[in-house]
Amino acid sequence: MSIFYKGQEIKNVTLNMLYDLFRSVGSSNTIIQTTTIGDIFEVDLVETKYPLLHIGTETATYDTSSLTYTFQFIVMDLVKKDESNEEEVLSDMLQVIGDVLSVLLNSDFDDDFLDFRQVIQIQQNITCEPFTERFDNEVTGWTAGINIVVEFNASACSGYVA
């Protein structure tokens, strides 16, 4: 199957293309104020504008004809010092991560990809794990491990636009 991105045929979906997709998902969400990618411990969580969507890259696994990326999605928001809103924040952040996952699972969100649903496949069963009082700030939220499978063209031919 050919992959078309921004009107050009490409050989493979790159990690940077997925990062751009994640940034678009984050910026299109009306609740998320900041989207970051990379090592969570390199993000200034004190100065960050919350709620935060963070994506960490875990692994990439090649198969004969596919490449499976594993990401950790983290959504979090500040909790009051007395923790009186902790349950509310936990509930709200579960809704937010559900919204993010819904966009990834159920829409042809990214117009840059022709046949988005066929090019980028997201695993269907995603487990979310709550956390409280994590990191250097009073934040509460959820993490979700997400596997994304893309076609991998292993041909030595370099006739595609990168």
Side-chain angles (χ1 to χ4, degrees):
M1 179 176 154
S2 294
I3 301 170
F4 289 91
Y5 180 73
K6 295 185 178 182
Q8 295 186 342
E9 189 172 11
I10 60 172
K11 184 174 178 180
N12 292 304
V13 174
T14 68
L15 187 57
N16 276 331
M17 290 174 187
L18 293 177
Y19 288 163
D20 288 346
L21 171 67
F22 300 152
R23 285 185 186 97
S24 294
V25 170
S27 67
S28 70
N29 185 286
T30 59
I31 296 174
I32 295 169
Q33 295 299 305
T34 304
T35 302
T36 58
I37 295 173
D39 185 342
I40 188 66
F41 296 106
E42 292 179 5
V43 177
D44 184 351
L45 297 176
V46 175
E47 296 297 320
T48 295
K49 192 171 180 184
Y50 289 93
L52 167 69
L53 166 64
H54 179 80
I55 297 97
T57 307
E58 300 285 314
T59 63
T61 306
Y62 286 98
D63 195 342
T64 305
S65 62
S66 66
L67 171 57
T68 302
Y69 294 99
T70 301
F71 297 98
Q72 182 182 51
F73 279 47
I74 305 171
V75 293
M76 64 181 91
D77 200 0
L78 290 171
V79 175
K80 294 178 183 174
K81 293 285 184 198
D82 66 0
E83 299 178 9
S84 61
N85 68 333
E86 186 174 81
E87 291 176 3
E88 180 182 343
V89 170
L90 203 55
S91 178
D92 291 349
M93 291 302 96
L94 183 59
Q95 287 299 122
V96 169
I97 203 162
D99 291 345
V100 167
L101 295 174
S102 292
V103 168
L104 290 172
L105 288 167
N106 299 315
S107 71
D108 284 338
F109 177 76
D110 195 327
D111 292 333
D112 288 336
F113 285 99
L114 184 64
D115 298 326
F116 179 80
R117 269 308 113 228
Q118 284 69 47
V119 173
I120 298 174
Q121 299 171 2
I122 292 104
Q123 90 180 43
Q124 295 297 307
N125 296 319
I126 299 168
T127 301
C128 299
E129 213 175 300
F131 63 86
T132 58
E133 300 174 31
R134 194 167 169 193
F135 306 112
D136 292 336
N137 222 339
E138 302 282 331
V139 294
T140 291
W142 292 84
T143 63
I146 299 174
N147 291 326
I148 297 179
V149 181
V150 297
E151 179 181 320
F152 174 63
N153 179 345
S155 75
C157 182
S158 62
Y160 293 96
V161 175

